[in-house]
Amino acid sequence: MDIFGFTVITLLVLFGIGSIENRISRADKRVARIEHKLDLVLGHLGLTEPEPWSDEVNALVRDGKKIQAIKVYREATGAGLKEAKEAVEKLG
Protein backbone atom coordinates (compact mmCIF):
# COMPACT_ATOMS: atom_id res chain seq x y z
CA MET A 1 0.00 0.00 0.00
CA ASP A 2 1.39 3.37 -0.89
CA ILE A 3 1.54 6.38 1.43
CA PHE A 4 -1.48 8.03 -0.20
CA GLY A 5 -3.71 5.02 0.44
CA PHE A 6 -2.52 4.77 4.01
CA THR A 7 -3.19 8.49 4.55
CA VAL A 8 -6.70 8.21 3.11
CA ILE A 9 -7.54 5.21 5.29
CA THR A 10 -6.14 6.96 8.37
CA LEU A 11 -8.22 10.06 7.68
CA LEU A 12 -11.36 7.98 7.17
CA VAL A 13 -10.80 6.14 10.44
CA LEU A 14 -10.20 9.41 12.31
CA PHE A 15 -13.31 10.93 10.75
CA GLY A 16 -15.33 7.88 11.78
CA ILE A 17 -14.06 8.05 15.34
CA GLY A 18 -14.84 11.76 15.52
CA SER A 19 -18.34 11.13 14.22
CA ILE A 20 -18.98 8.41 16.80
CA GLU A 21 -17.67 10.59 19.63
CA ASN A 22 -19.94 13.42 18.49
CA ARG A 23 -23.00 11.16 18.52
CA ILE A 24 -22.13 9.82 21.97
CA SER A 25 -21.67 13.35 23.28
CA ARG A 26 -25.05 14.43 21.93
CA ALA A 27 -26.72 11.34 23.39
CA ASP A 28 -25.11 12.02 26.78
CA LYS A 29 -26.42 15.58 26.72
CA ARG A 30 -29.93 14.40 25.83
CA VAL A 31 -29.89 11.85 28.65
CA ALA A 32 -28.70 14.52 31.10
CA ARG A 33 -31.55 16.83 30.04
CA ILE A 34 -34.10 14.04 30.45
CA GLU A 35 -32.74 13.12 33.87
CA HIS A 36 -32.90 16.77 34.93
CA LYS A 37 -36.51 17.05 33.80
CA LEU A 38 -37.40 13.84 35.60
CA ASP A 39 -35.74 15.15 38.76
CA LEU A 40 -37.83 18.33 38.48
CA VAL A 41 -41.04 16.33 38.09
CA LEU A 42 -40.19 14.10 41.05
CA GLY A 43 -39.33 17.17 43.13
CA HIS A 44 -42.56 18.87 42.18
CA LEU A 45 -44.52 15.79 43.22
CA GLY A 46 -42.57 15.54 46.45
CA LEU A 47 -41.26 12.09 45.57
CA THR A 48 -37.78 10.87 46.31
CA GLU A 49 -36.05 7.72 45.25
CA PRO A 50 -33.23 6.65 47.53
CA GLU A 51 -30.28 5.42 45.58
CA PRO A 52 -28.77 2.10 46.67
CA TRP A 53 -25.29 3.62 46.78
CA SER A 54 -26.29 6.65 48.87
CA ASP A 55 -25.83 4.83 52.19
CA GLU A 56 -22.24 4.02 51.29
CA VAL A 57 -21.52 7.58 50.16
CA ASN A 58 -23.11 9.01 53.32
CA ALA A 59 -21.07 6.66 55.51
CA LEU A 60 -17.84 7.68 53.77
CA VAL A 61 -18.67 11.37 54.21
CA ARG A 62 -19.42 10.82 57.92
CA ASP A 63 -16.05 9.07 58.29
CA GLY A 64 -14.29 12.03 56.66
CA LYS A 65 -13.40 10.06 53.51
CA LYS A 66 -14.65 12.57 50.96
CA ILE A 67 -12.31 11.47 48.17
CA GLN A 68 -13.53 7.89 48.44
CA ALA A 69 -17.12 9.16 48.62
CA ILE A 70 -16.58 11.13 45.41
CA LYS A 71 -15.13 8.03 43.73
CA VAL A 72 -18.10 5.86 44.77
CA TYR A 73 -20.53 8.57 43.66
CA ARG A 74 -18.85 8.85 40.26
CA GLU A 75 -18.81 5.09 39.72
CA ALA A 76 -22.47 4.75 40.69
CA THR A 77 -23.83 7.69 38.74
CA GLY A 78 -21.38 8.24 35.90
CA ALA A 79 -21.08 11.86 37.01
CA GLY A 80 -18.07 13.98 36.24
CA LEU A 81 -15.56 14.96 38.88
CA LYS A 82 -16.99 18.45 39.43
CA GLU A 83 -20.59 17.23 39.73
CA ALA A 84 -19.61 14.42 42.11
CA LYS A 85 -17.54 16.75 44.26
CA GLU A 86 -20.41 19.23 44.54
CA ALA A 87 -22.89 16.46 45.41
CA VAL A 88 -20.61 15.02 48.10
CA GLU A 89 -19.91 18.46 49.55
CA LYS A 90 -23.67 19.03 49.91
CA LEU A 91 -23.84 15.88 52.04
CA GLY A 92 -21.06 16.89 54.39
Side-chain angles (χ1 to χ4, degrees):
M1 177 181 286
D2 62 352
I3 191 79
F4 178 74
F6 179 74
T7 303
V8 169
I9 290 173
T10 302
L11 289 174
L12 288 174
V13 168
L14 290 175
F15 178 75
I17 291 171
S19 176
I20 291 169
E21 287 179 349
N22 187 21
R23 287 181 183 206
I24 291 171
S25 175
R26 288 192 324 235
D28 286 345
K29 288 177 184 176
R30 281 194 305 260
V31 168
R33 282 194 311 267
I34 291 168
E35 287 177 344
H36 178 71
K37 290 176 183 179
L38 182 57
D39 289 341
L40 290 173
V41 169
L42 289 172
H44 179 73
L45 295 174
L47 302 174
T48 58
E49 179 183 356
E51 302 290 346
W53 48 264
S54 63
D55 291 337
E56 182 180 2
V57 171
N58 286 327
L60 289 168
V61 171
R62 276 193 311 272
D63 294 341
K65 300 177 181 178
K66 286 189 177 181
I67 293 174
Q68 289 175 336
I70 291 169
K71 181 179 178 183
V72 170
Y73 185 92
R74 290 187 70 197
E75 289 172 355
T77 64
L81 179 59
K82 181 180 177 185
E83 180 184 350
K85 184 176 182 283
E86 290 171 355
V88 167
E89 286 177 352
K90 286 180 185 177
L91 296 174

